[in-house]
Amino acid sequence: MKALKQCTPAAPTPDQEERLNSARFEIAGLVNGAVDRRRELLVHVERKLRRINAPVVLIVEDDDALAQWFAAVVERMRAIPHVCGNGLQAHAFACEEPIDFYLIDLNLPGIDGIELAERIRGRAMLPLSPILFVSGEVDAAVLAKIAEIAGANGWVHKPVREVELQREVCRLLPLLSSTGP
């Protein structure tokens, strides 16, 4: 049998070395880009799957601490919260995304809760999603009249207790459970 000759590759020239490094860098970029894109797709699919099984609640509250508390309560109820700090931002979001339930403060910067509710009710898509007002107004008769005029389904008084908020949300959106996971 004939012996095979061992062949040692010649050292690359500086130009070849530069092209090799460039190719390695390009391949590394493509691999990293593919991994990032895959991660983005997985997050997107996960959000879509959660959306299939969980209603989206739009929380419109200009007090950040209270808005985050509302969001935490809504998450414990197995819904997906989205928080907007003013009426204009909420209206823009509601025009782009399907909303299953609205939790709206009456006194908001920009457009107030009443005008926001009227705009929501005027939309062609999902105009019947429940609206629950949150207000510091103490006169129940005034709140009832405001809710009726704006097309809201109910209201809760500030300061809001979690059990009261859960009860009202479950009353208006019965597919939610008031118990956490």
Side-chain angles (χ1 to χ4, degrees), residues 8-13 16:
T8 25
T13 65
Q16 290 173 329

Side-chain angles (χ1 to χ4, degrees), residues 48 58 89-99 102 123 125:
K48 289 292 184 185
L58 181 59
Q89 181 186 29
H91 185 258
F93 184 80
C95 287
E96 297 295 321
E97 297 290 330
I99 307 298
Y102 296 87
R123 285 185 56 225
M125 294 175 60

Side-chain angles (χ1 to χ4, degrees), residues 15 18-19 22 31 68 72 75 77 96 110 113 136 153 155 163 174:
D15 183 47
E18 186 178 320
R19 286 189 302 194
S22 177
V31 168
Q68 293 310 313
E75 281 182 337
M77 296 178 73
E96 297 295 321
N153 303 88
W155 69 91
V163 68

Side-chain angles (χ1 to χ4, degrees), residues 28-70:
L30 291 172
V31 168
N32 288 337
V35 168
D36 290 344
R37 181 67 181 139
R38 183 173 178 258
R39 190 175 300 125
E40 288 174 16
L41 287 171
L42 288 173
V43 168
H44 179 72
V45 167
E46 180 182 318
R47 285 183 183 152
K48 289 292 184 185
L49 289 174
R50 283 189 10 207
R51 174 68 180 99
I52 289 170
N53 297 319
V56 174
V57 177
L58 181 59
I59 299 164
V60 191
E61 172 61 62
D62 58 331
D63 179 330
D64 288 338
L66 188 54
Q68 293 310 313
W69 182 80
F70 285 149

Side-chain angles (χ1 to χ4, degrees), residues 82-152:
H82 184 84
V83 176
C84 291
N86 63 60
L88 290 172
Q89 181 186 29
H91 185 258
F93 184 80
C95 287
E96 297 295 321
E97 297 290 330
I99 307 298
D100 300 301
F101 189 90
Y102 296 87
L103 182 62
I104 304 174
D105 184 15
L106 277 179
N107 299 313
L108 295 167
I111 62 172
D112 64 17
I114 297 168
E115 186 176 343
L116 176 60
E118 290 171 340
R119 287 185 183 189
I120 290 167
R121 288 295 182 234
R123 285 185 56 225
M125 294 175 60
L126 296 175
L128 300 178
S129 294
I131 297 174
L132 182 65
F133 279 141
V134 179
S135 176
E137 173 65 51
V138 293
D139 188 343
V142 170
L143 272 176
K145 191 65 176 168
I146 290 171
E148 180 184 336
I149 291 169

